[in-house]
Amino acid sequence: MGFVLTFGVVSMLADVVYEGARSITGPYLATLGATAVMVGFITGFGEAVALVLRLGTGPLADRTRKYWPLTIAGYALTVLAVPLLALASSLWQASALVIMERFGKAVRTPARDTMLSHAGTEIGRGKAFAIHEALDQSGALLGPLLVGLMIAVSGYQLGFGVLAIPGALALVAVLLLRRAVPAPERFDAQAVTAHAVERGSRAPRVPLPARFWWYSAFTAVSMFGFSTFGVISYHLEVQQVMPSALIPVTYAVSMGAAALAALASGALYDKIGLRGLLIALPLTAAVPFLSFTTTPGLVWAGAVVWGRPLESTNPPSGPPSRTLFRLPGAGPGTASSPPSTAWPGWRGPPLLGPSTRPPSQGSSSLPS
């Protein structure tokens, strides 16, 4: 529990940094001469870097088992890139730093979540990820509010510069946690045993089920026209819909709506399954008609709606598992796999391969 809580604090501090920065990226790029198209490309490309590159960093973490180095490097990239935005004097410099911050997210997330999954073996993986997510989301609320206050005091440079403080604290905290718990896999006795028995072998490749591809197609279609907040905030700044200091507050409102939506979509999923996610389609369609107006009241409503489909198109909160996209033959008792190799199509490390222990009386020989 101490490991999970401390990692939650690390993520909270990091969220203060990068969510605070994302709340004003659009307006800041506008001050450097960016057009709406350029802001959309830069912020969209950054999100692609943060997500698509995990297809490489996840298997890299599994193959090398260098979970701590990858996690620390990812946090370091983020906490260095964001405060440096205060010193950017050109659009290309700011764009490079925005993408660098997102690259840090891609590097650390698979390795960090794998370590959390080991700790979750003792206290329950759902509980572990819920605690971590709650602390993480609190940072997403506090960061934009802090930035908005600093902008009101002295402008964008101070808004970015102040984020160096929580960034430094996050880096110190993760280094101390690394020193205290150098091998988080010790929390997971089954994983240690399986790795020792199967060292040198390779897990079999299992094809991804059709349900995974249908879900991926649904997510792609529903998010295809979904604007990044960078473009929305750019519009609010250029059209002078509201004071600059209030723009980060709208992002904080979106983060709060996303947190509540996670609870609602999770409950809806439990009742009616993936059909409940169809609510994301009309909500996504409503965003342009609300967020891109010049009426403040509609913009605030748009902030709430923008946060809602953001969570609705994700699976229920918690560690990625095989409960949503089950492997062929996997029954209800299949345990969730560590997040870095949650996609069953990956040829994972020995740790994730089928157990070689003979099934005991009443036990299952399914992979876990």
Short mmCIF file of all heavy atoms in Angstrom, two decimals, residues 39 64 85-86 89 152 189 203 233 263 298:
data_model
loop_
_atom_site.label_atom_id
_atom_site.label_comp_id
_atom_site.label_asym_id
_atom_site.label_seq_id
_atom_site.Cartn_x
_atom_site.Cartn_y
_atom_site.Cartn_z
N VAL A 39 -1.64 24.55 -34.33
CA VAL A 39 -1.90 24.09 -32.97
C VAL A 39 -2.52 22.70 -32.99
O VAL A 39 -2.14 21.82 -32.20
CB VAL A 39 -2.82 25.08 -32.22
CG1 VAL A 39 -3.26 24.50 -30.88
CG2 VAL A 39 -2.10 26.40 -32.00
N THR A 64 13.47 -5.91 -21.54
CA THR A 64 14.65 -5.53 -20.77
C THR A 64 14.44 -5.63 -19.26
O THR A 64 15.41 -5.72 -18.52
CB THR A 64 15.06 -4.10 -21.11
OG1 THR A 64 14.02 -3.19 -20.70
CG2 THR A 64 15.30 -3.94 -22.61
N LEU A 85 9.38 25.52 -21.41
CA LEU A 85 8.47 26.25 -22.29
C LEU A 85 8.44 27.74 -21.95
O LEU A 85 8.18 28.58 -22.82
CB LEU A 85 7.06 25.66 -22.20
CG LEU A 85 6.81 24.37 -22.99
CD1 LEU A 85 5.51 23.71 -22.56
CD2 LEU A 85 6.78 24.67 -24.49
N ALA A 86 8.70 28.06 -20.69
CA ALA A 86 8.72 29.46 -20.29
C ALA A 86 9.85 30.22 -20.97
O ALA A 86 9.79 31.46 -21.10
CB ALA A 86 8.88 29.57 -18.77
N SER A 89 11.57 30.81 -27.27
CA SER A 89 11.47 32.10 -27.96
C SER A 89 10.93 31.97 -29.38
O SER A 89 10.78 32.98 -30.07
CB SER A 89 12.85 32.77 -28.00
OG SER A 89 13.81 31.93 -28.65
N ALA A 152 -2.79 34.93 -14.02
CA ALA A 152 -3.45 36.14 -13.52
C ALA A 152 -2.45 37.08 -12.86
O ALA A 152 -2.60 38.31 -12.90
CB ALA A 152 -4.55 35.76 -12.54
N ALA A 189 4.77 -12.88 -5.69
CA ALA A 189 5.51 -14.14 -5.56
C ALA A 189 5.29 -15.04 -6.76
O ALA A 189 6.21 -15.72 -7.23
CB ALA A 189 5.10 -14.86 -4.28
N ALA A 203 6.87 -16.61 -24.63
CA ALA A 203 5.42 -16.83 -24.56
C ALA A 203 4.86 -17.01 -25.96
O ALA A 203 5.33 -16.38 -26.90
CB ALA A 203 4.74 -15.67 -23.86
N SER A 233 -8.62 25.83 -26.54
CA SER A 233 -8.07 26.95 -25.78
C SER A 233 -7.51 28.03 -26.71
O SER A 233 -7.55 29.22 -26.39
CB SER A 233 -6.98 26.45 -24.82
OG SER A 233 -5.93 25.80 -25.51
N LEU A 263 -16.48 7.07 -13.25
CA LEU A 263 -17.35 6.32 -12.34
C LEU A 263 -18.64 5.92 -13.04
O LEU A 263 -19.11 4.78 -12.93
CB LEU A 263 -17.65 7.15 -11.10
CG LEU A 263 -16.46 7.56 -10.22
CD1 LEU A 263 -16.93 8.50 -9.10
CD2 LEU A 263 -15.79 6.33 -9.63
N LEU A 298 -21.94 28.56 -22.91
CA LEU A 298 -21.86 27.37 -23.76
C LEU A 298 -20.46 26.76 -23.72
O LEU A 298 -20.29 25.54 -23.79
CB LEU A 298 -22.25 27.72 -25.20
CG LEU A 298 -23.70 28.12 -25.42
CD1 LEU A 298 -23.93 28.48 -26.89
CD2 LEU A 298 -24.64 27.01 -24.99
#
